[in-house]
């Protein structure tokens, strides 16, 4: 009891000593903490630096071996290229020597040899005469063939004219146009009329060949008949120009246009939700090819809290964007999760552009 009373009398000193020791222990603890942090930082830095040096030595060894391998490889390639260049230069020198010897022999033997040059020129003159004679013969054959073809065409036209004008043949009572009584002998056309047969009614409607630009019988050579005539050049096909549509158009074209096959539009031939289905298919395909479904997270995380801005922080909350600078509207009525779709697609309008429509016998464009 006496001890307890004595302690109560020393209460102020005990509290003061406790506070002093606690403060001293706190100072010592902070000093020890700082010392421990310095020792740990030094040790960790030493360990990291030693590890980096080890990695650097390993990288140097790998780079030394790789650069040595690549250097030896490029050196072998350069040696191979230099050897190939030396060989090509040697071969070129040898080819140059062979060409030099051959050209010298050829010049000495043929170019600067007077008698050989003379024989060559005489043979060349003879060859020239032979070629000229062959060219003249070929030209004569072409001319004779052309004259023969023109003679055949002239004979056809005159024979057709004789058949057409058969009614002008002279009779015993009255001489014809080509059998004048003032000439001692009749015209050549008279003999043609006698030898030809008259045309029937169906043959008269055919196109009559023209006699313009043809030769007379006196200008035609009848000697050469061995060469085949030159064939006629085929005329160019007519230009296919479609007539203007109207009430007098060909009925076959009108019916073909009226009963043509259906041409479905792009809106009918394709799916209306084709784009959405394609996107869903793309998403599914991408999901099946994933290796892991867990999203990628960074290795380091920032634990510091977000510090809001002073001008946007208030105990009543910040204003929504647009209410202060723009007109206030009810934005909820304009927001929808569905995509915008048009009621009528504009594609069929452009599909019918410049197409014709027939109604009855009249076709409009």
């Amino acid at each position: 009891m006496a001890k307890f009373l004595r302690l109560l009398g020393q209460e102020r000193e005990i509290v003061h000593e406790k506070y002093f020791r606690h403060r001293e222990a706190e100072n010592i603890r902070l000093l020890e903490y700082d010392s421990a942090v310095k020792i740990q930082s030094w040790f960790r830095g030493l360990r990291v630096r030693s590890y980096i040096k080890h990695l650097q030595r390993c990288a140097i060894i790998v780079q030394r071996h790789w650069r040595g391998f690549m250097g030896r490889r490029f050196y072998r390639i350069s040696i191979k290229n230099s050897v190939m260049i030396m060989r090509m230069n040697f071969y070129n020198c040898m080819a140059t020597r062979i060409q030099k010897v051959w050209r010298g022999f050829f010049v000495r033997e043929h170019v600067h040899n007077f008698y050989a040059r003379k024989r060559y020129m005489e043979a060349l003159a003879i060859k020239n005469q032979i070629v000229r004679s062959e060219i003249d013969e070929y030209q004569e054959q072409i001319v004779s063939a052309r004259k023969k073809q023109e003679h055949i065409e002239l004979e056809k036209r005159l024979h057709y004219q004789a058949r057409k004008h058969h009614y002008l043949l002279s009779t015993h009572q009255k001489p014809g146009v080509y059998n004048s009584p003032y000439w001692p002998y009749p015209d050549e056309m008279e003999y043609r009329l006698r030898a030809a047969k008259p045309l029937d009614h169906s043959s008269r409607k055919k196109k009559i060949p023209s006699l313009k630009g043809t030769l007379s019988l006196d200008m035609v050579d009848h000697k050469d008949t061995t060469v085949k005539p030159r064939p006629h050049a085929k005329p160019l096909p007519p230009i296919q120009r479609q007539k203007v549509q109207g009430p007098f158009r060909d009925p076959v074209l009108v019916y073909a246009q009226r009963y043509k096959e259906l041409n479905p539009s792009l809106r009918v031939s394709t799916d209306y939700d084709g784009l959405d289905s394609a996107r869903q298919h793309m998403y599914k395909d991408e999901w099946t090819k994933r290796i892991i479904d867990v999203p990628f997270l960074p290795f380091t995380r920032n634990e510091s809290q977000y510090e809001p801005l002073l001008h946007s922080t208030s105990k009543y909350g910040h204003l929504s964007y647009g209410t202060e600078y723009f007109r206030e509207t009810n934005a909820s009525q304009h927001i929808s999760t569905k995509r915008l779709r048009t009621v009528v697609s504009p594609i069929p309008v452009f599909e019918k552009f410049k197409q014709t429509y027939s109604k009855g016998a009249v076709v409009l464009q």
Side-chain angles (χ1 to χ4, degrees), residues 265-281:
S265 61
L266 183 62
R267 182 178 180 182
V268 178
S269 59
T270 57
D271 188 9
Y272 190 81
D273 297 333
L275 182 60
D276 297 337
S277 60
R279 287 178 177 174
Q280 294 295 332
H281 181 70

Side-chain angles (χ1 to χ4, degrees), residues 301-313:
R301 295 183 180 181
N302 190 6
E303 300 294 342
S304 61
Q305 297 182 357
Y306 173 72
E307 297 180 0
L309 300 177
L310 296 176
H311 64 274
S312 62
T313 306

Side-chain angles (χ1 to χ4, degrees), residues 32 63 69 75 106 186 196-197 199 206 225 266 291 312 365:
E32 292 177 353
Q63 290 177 0
F69 169 74
Y75 179 73
F106 182 79
K197 296 180 180 180
L199 287 175
K206 296 181 180 180
T225 58
L266 183 62
I291 299 177
S312 62
Q365 184 176 5

Side-chain angles (χ1 to χ4, degrees), residues 142-167:
I142 293 176
V143 172
S144 61
R146 187 183 298 111
K147 289 182 178 180
K148 183 178 179 181
Q149 184 64 27
E150 291 175 355
H151 175 70
I152 292 173
E153 293 178 358
L154 181 61
E155 286 292 334
K156 288 182 180 180
R157 294 189 181 95
L158 293 176
H159 181 68
Y160 179 80
Q161 187 178 7
R163 292 185 63 188
K164 180 183 177 183
H165 297 159
H166 192 269
Y167 63 92

